[in-house]
Amino acid sequence: MNSRRMTYWPLVAAVIILWLAIAFLLYRSLSTQDGHFVYTQDDAYIHMAIAKNLAAHGNWGVSAGEFQSASSAPLWVLIVTCFYLIFGANVITPFLLNILFVTLVVVAAYFILRKQDLRPLFIFLTLLALIFFASLAPLVMLGMEHSLQILLTILFVYLSAVVLSSEERGSLSRNTKWLLALTPFFVFLRYESLVIVGIVFLMLLLRKRWLLAASMLGLAALPVVIFGVISVANGALFLPNSVELKSSAPLFPLVAWLKTNIRYAYLPLKRLMDSPVFLNLGLASGLVLFLTVTKREVLKWNRALILNLILIVAVFFHFQNNTSPNYRYDAYLVSLGIIAVAIPLFWHLQERKWPDSSRGVVLLAIFSVPLALLFLTPFFNRGYVNHKVAPLETRRTYEQHFFMSEFVKRFFTGKTVALNDIGAINYYADIKSVDLWGLGTNEVAKERMQIRADHPSADAYVLSKDQIDNITKSEGTDIAMLYHEIFEINGESHIPDNWVLVGRWLCYRYERDYWDKVSFYAVNPAEAETLKKDLQEYSSELPVYVIQQGMYTEGTDKPLPIS
């Protein structure tokens, strides 16, 4: 067998670089937060809290006694739960799982690229781009399902390209069996995978693979229907609360969906123009399609064509429904795009006849180098920013969510607390939470969905003062810990007037936004004095750079009014 095909140095070198990047981010994070291991975002702890309760109490929810469809990644919760059943609840399991999955991403990409007869140097460059541009190391520090999502996306789309490009019509091939087996897990990890499954389903119909298309559709729907039935039976929405609340258009009824999406059909193009990474990726994919079509038979189904068609349509739907600039939501598309573009691009470079004269080489460099830099600059910026920000985000989680959790754990164990960020507090403390943002409280989720249905053009779907007051009273809520500014719409606060604002923590070490202001309210005015004493007792535990304000600072050496 050709020795070039058997060389593994690109894989070994890429994995070493990946592990070094993870080690560097871990070191930077631990050194800035007093040795405490913390994830970059609170959402990681939502999955962990559900897994903890599922393993300990058999209940799917961030609180031990109530079904709460708070996770948008049910399969990830089940995976973490399995490890919690064996080793007990711990913070390190999601981190180790992410190291495993990002390593498997690199391994899977390597073998896919090697099957395309690419030179080792081209394989290595593609793996480096995958590691840095898709920000695999920062994804590990997130502690969530996105590394596994990248792995399943790459495998699913590649297997789809193999199956669609094959002319076999008889018995199921090994690749077809793997594709079908992967489908329900792919969807159950994150429901947005249904978009890619739908694209492949339509392609199968075009190829007149009727039975395979129907089988894939059924397997994709199976986990959604099963989990949806369980959720509705337990008083929750059919889809996970986060999926329902974060989608830009209602999924049901169909008429409303069509009306909303046709009206805003231009949004994907507008958002694409505002995203240099995906704009360049789309242009590169379009160039690849052009080169593929002009070189090969136009109607011939080949893997490069299929990979890039799936990519382009998936990116369109991503920008139709996702407005968040957070890199975790699009990392799977960046990863897919790198592989989809790299394969035909490097095919072209390997087969191209290069200039023999030095003049020709110089002229080629003059034109190609600036174009390459122009194309790659947004990708380098993306990778640099994500690697730079990851340790800062863990620091923010530490100085805010960690200490909020410790405060609740010390003074409010077994009590009811109203929140709008529910992850770390529910993981570390045994409380009953009322999530006023709706991810962890079904009643709030349904109310917010109704507000969106009644006022689809509203900027935010926030409960009214009366709704918040009624829900918190019915749940016997003791205190509320909120980012108060997200409950202010057009200058009007939706915090109930009878709540007493006792104090506020301002975490302004790096940058300022509304997520850095944590307000403490006594939901029952009679409890204000108790909350005041608790905050005073805990105040010495906070880092010196956390600014403390409010009535509980009165009588101290630095009384600060609320701002």
Side-chain angles (χ1 to χ4, degrees):
M1 186 173 288
N2 192 310
S3 60
R4 177 173 64 82
R5 288 175 56 85
M6 291 304 296
T7 181
Y8 288 91
W9 75 259
L11 174 61
V12 174
V15 169
I16 291 174
I17 291 171
L18 172 63
W19 288 352
L20 287 175
I22 295 171
F24 174 73
L25 292 183
L26 178 61
Y27 169 76
R28 285 285 309 278
S29 298
L30 293 176
S31 63
T32 60
Q33 53 212 29
D34 306 321
H36 288 87
F37 179 83
V38 178
Y39 292 107
T40 55
Q41 294 187 16
D42 183 70
D43 290 1
Y45 297 93
I46 295 178
H47 306 303
M48 294 162 60
I50 297 174
K52 180 188 75 171
N53 287 319
L54 189 59
H57 308 290
N59 177 69
W60 189 282
V62 292
S63 299
E66 182 181 355
F67 183 94
Q68 300 157 324
S69 187
S71 172
S72 58
L75 178 61
W76 180 254
V77 172
L78 292 178
I79 293 172
V80 176
T81 301
C82 290
F83 283 89
Y84 280 4
L85 286 170
I86 299 172
F87 302 105
N90 61 86
V91 296
I92 205 68
T93 289
F95 177 73
L96 296 178
L97 286 173
N98 269 275
I99 293 178
L100 170 64
F101 290 133
V102 294
T103 303
L104 290 177
V105 166
V106 175
V107 172
Y110 167 77
F111 282 104
I112 289 173
L113 295 168
R114 201 182 76 166
K115 281 182 175 292
Q116 314 313 309
D117 289 320
L118 297 185
R119 294 172 185 170
L121 178 59
F122 290 157
I123 294 176
F124 178 65
L125 292 176
T126 305
L127 295 181
L128 275 185
L130 184 63
I131 292 169
F132 189 68
F133 297 156
S135 303
L136 296 187
L139 284 175
V140 171
M141 302 305 297
L142 274 171
M144 288 188 278
E145 74 281 0
H146 303 285
S147 58
L148 179 56
Q149 181 188 23
I150 293 174
L151 176 63
L152 296 186
T153 299
I154 291 173
L155 292 176
F156 182 86
V157 174
Y158 178 73
L159 286 172
S160 298
V162 172
V163 172
L164 285 164
S165 62
S166 173
E167 297 298 330
E168 295 182 10
R169 299 283 178 169
S171 60
L172 293 179
S173 66
R174 183 178 65 175
N175 288 324
T176 303
K177 293 176 181 177
W178 276 111
L179 178 62
L180 292 176
L182 193 63
T183 299
F185 298 100
F186 183 43
V187 171
F188 201 42
L189 180 67
R190 286 190 66 86
Y191 283 17
E192 67 214 54
S193 302
L194 283 167
V195 171
I196 294 179
V197 173
I199 298 168
V200 175
F201 169 76
L202 293 176
M203 288 183 169
L204 287 170
L205 292 181
L206 289 174
R207 293 284 278 159
K208 298 182 179 180
R209 308 285 291 273
W210 317 116
L211 181 58
L212 180 55
S215 300
M216 176 176 290
L217 188 63
L219 288 170
L222 185 63
V224 178
V225 172
I226 292 175
F227 189 78
V229 170
I230 294 174
S231 296
V232 172
N234 284 276
L237 299 168
F238 184 81
L239 298 178
N241 293 352
S242 56
V243 176
E244 293 273 16
L245 292 170
K246 292 179 181 179
S247 61
S248 61
L251 183 60
F252 302 110
L254 180 60
V255 173
W257 187 89
L258 288 173
K259 179 180 178 181
T260 304
N261 282 276
I262 291 174
R263 181 182 177 186
Y264 295 108
Y266 69 92
L267 283 180
L269 296 178
K270 181 179 182 299
R271 292 168 181 167
L272 182 63
M273 296 300 294
D274 294 334
S275 175
V277 167
F278 280 100
L279 180 60
N280 286 3
L281 201 58
L283 292 174
S285 184
L287 176 62
V288 163
L289 290 175
F290 174 78
L291 294 174
T292 303
V293 169
T294 55
K295 185 174 180 180
R296 303 170 186 268
E297 298 178 23
V298 175
L299 298 180
K300 183 177 180 180
W301 290 75
N302 62 76
R303 295 178 188 179
L305 181 68
I306 295 167
L307 287 172
N308 282 276
L309 282 175
I310 293 174
L311 171 67
I312 289 175
V313 179
V315 168
F316 178 87
F317 275 95
H318 172 78
F319 280 100
Q320 173 70 33
N321 293 287
N322 197 312
T323 59
S324 173
N326 196 311
Y327 68 95
R328 64 179 168 127
Y329 292 121
D330 58 32
Y332 74 105
L333 289 175
V334 173
S335 303
L336 176 61
I338 290 170
I339 294 175
V341 170
I343 291 174
L345 178 63
F346 286 137
W347 275 349
H348 181 73
L349 292 177
Q350 288 178 174
E351 298 172 2
R352 182 179 176 84
K353 292 183 178 180
W354 299 99
D356 296 328
S357 64
S358 58
R359 180 183 178 185
V361 173
V362 171
L363 289 175
L364 180 63
I366 290 175
F367 284 102
S368 61
V369 171
L371 287 175
L373 290 176
L374 183 64
F375 172 77
L376 291 174
T377 295
F379 292 88
F380 279 110
N381 182 66
R382 170 193 170 93
Y384 170 74
V385 169
N386 291 339
H387 285 76
K388 177 184 177 181
V389 168
L392 304 182
E393 289 183 333
T394 60
R395 180 71 195 192
R396 175 184 291 185
T397 302
Y398 170 67
E399 64 191 20
Q400 187 179 92
H401 297 96
F402 177 80
F403 287 103
M404 290 167 63
S405 304
E406 290 295 302
F407 173 76
V408 171
K409 184 178 180 180
R410 179 182 299 186
F411 298 104
F412 292 94
T413 295
K415 297 185 178 181
T416 303
V417 181
L419 307 163
N420 62 263
D421 233 354
I422 60 174
I425 294 176
N426 277 283
Y427 176 75
Y428 285 109
D430 291 324
I431 62 168
K432 178 181 180 181
S433 64
V434 178
D435 181 9
L436 296 181
W437 212 237
L439 300 187
T441 300
N442 299 325
E443 184 179 355
V444 175
K446 292 176 181 178
E447 293 285 358
R448 289 191 66 203
M449 290 291 293
Q450 187 60 49
I451 294 172
R452 185 172 72 173
D454 296 338
H455 307 283
S457 61
D459 294 330
Y461 312 111
V462 179
L463 271 59
S464 67
K465 292 182 180 181
D466 290 339
Q467 287 175 314
I468 292 175
D469 194 37
N470 291 335
I471 289 174
T472 52
K473 283 182 178 178
S474 66
E475 296 290 343
T477 307
D478 296 282
I479 67 165
M481 300 168 61
L482 308 172
Y483 306 131
H484 68 281
E485 290 186 357
I486 68 174
F487 293 91
E488 294 179 1
I489 307 300
N490 298 323
E492 179 184 353
S493 174
H494 285 225
I495 301 297
D497 295 329
N498 59 314
W499 288 13
V500 179
L501 178 57
V502 179
R504 182 169 292 157
W505 295 347
L506 279 65
C507 307
Y508 280 164
R509 193 173 186 189
Y510 299 110
E511 60 182 39
R512 298 192 174 200
D513 61 40
Y514 53 77
W515 298 101
D516 293 325
K517 299 178 182 179
V518 184
S519 298
F520 295 79
Y521 297 90
V523 174
N524 181 352
E527 298 296 324
E529 191 63 30
T530 301
L531 177 57
K532 175 181 176 180
K533 292 179 181 178
D534 293 339
L535 286 167
Q536 288 175 339
E537 181 179 338
Y538 193 75
S539 62
S540 61
E541 304 287 336
L542 293 174
V544 294
Y545 40 78
V546 175
I547 301 172
Q548 303 181 57
Q549 298 179 336
M551 68 165 63
Y552 83 92
T553 64
E554 297 172 0
T556 65
D557 56 345
K558 293 182 179 180
L560 292 172
I562 290 291
S563 64

